[in-house]
C-alpha cells in the first residue's frame, strides 16, 4: 500500500493529478494545500497564540528587566536601537 501525502488526501486524487500531467509541486499546490486549508489555519492560529503567550507572560510576571528573556528586552529597546542592531538581535533570538 502506498503512503499518501496527508491523511485526508486519498491516493485516487493524487493518481488523478498524476494522470492529468501534474508534477509533485503542482500536485502539492493545487490538490493537497486546498484540502489542508483548515488544518493550516488552525496550526497558524495556535502558533500565533503560543508566540504571543511566550512574549506576554514574561512581560507580566517578571518586572525586573534583568530577568526578562531576550524577546521582551528587544521589544522594550526597539525605540532606541538602530534597525540593523534590532534585526541582528531578532535573528539571535530566533536561533535555538
Amino acid at each position: 500500500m502506498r503512503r499518501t501525502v496527508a491523511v485526508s488526501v486519498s491516493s485516487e486524487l493524487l493518481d488523478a493529478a498524476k494522470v492529468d500531467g501534474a508534477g509533485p509541486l503542482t500536485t502539492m499546490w493545487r490538490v493537497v494545500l486546498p484540502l489542508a486549508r483548515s488544518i493550516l489555519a488552525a496550526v497558524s492560529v495556535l502558533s500565533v497564540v503560543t508566540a504571543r503567550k511566550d512574549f506576554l507572560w514574561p512581560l507580566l510576571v517578571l518586572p525586573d528587566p534583568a530577568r526578562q528573556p531576550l524577546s521582551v528586552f528587544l521589544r522594550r529597546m526597539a525605540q532606541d536601537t538602530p534597525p540593523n542592531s534590532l534585526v541582528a538581535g531578532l535573528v539571535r533570538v530566533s536561533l535555538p
Side-chain angles (χ1 to χ4, degrees):
M1 182 170 169
R2 196 171 71 168
R3 289 183 170 240
T4 58
V5 177
V7 175
S8 64
V9 179
S10 67
S11 61
E12 288 85 15
L13 284 174
L14 297 176
D15 291 338
K18 189 184 290 185
V19 167
D20 287 342
L25 189 60
T26 305
T27 302
M28 180 67 123
W29 189 255
R30 298 204 178 209
V31 176
V32 176
L33 286 179
L35 291 174
R37 188 177 300 148
S38 61
I39 296 169
L40 294 173
V43 169
S44 299
V45 167
L46 291 174
S47 296
V48 167
V49 168
T50 301
R52 182 70 179 165
K53 183 184 70 162
D54 288 344
F55 171 76
L56 194 59
W57 182 248
L59 184 65
L60 293 174
V61 175
L62 301 171
D64 182 20
R67 300 191 63 167
Q68 291 176 344
L70 287 175
S71 59
V72 177
F73 174 75
L74 285 173
R75 175 68 178 115
R76 198 177 67 237
M77 299 303 289
Q79 301 298 328
D80 304 329
T81 307
N84 58 351
S85 298
L86 186 62
V87 170
L90 290 171
V91 168
R92 173 65 178 102
V93 168
S94 67
L95 295 175

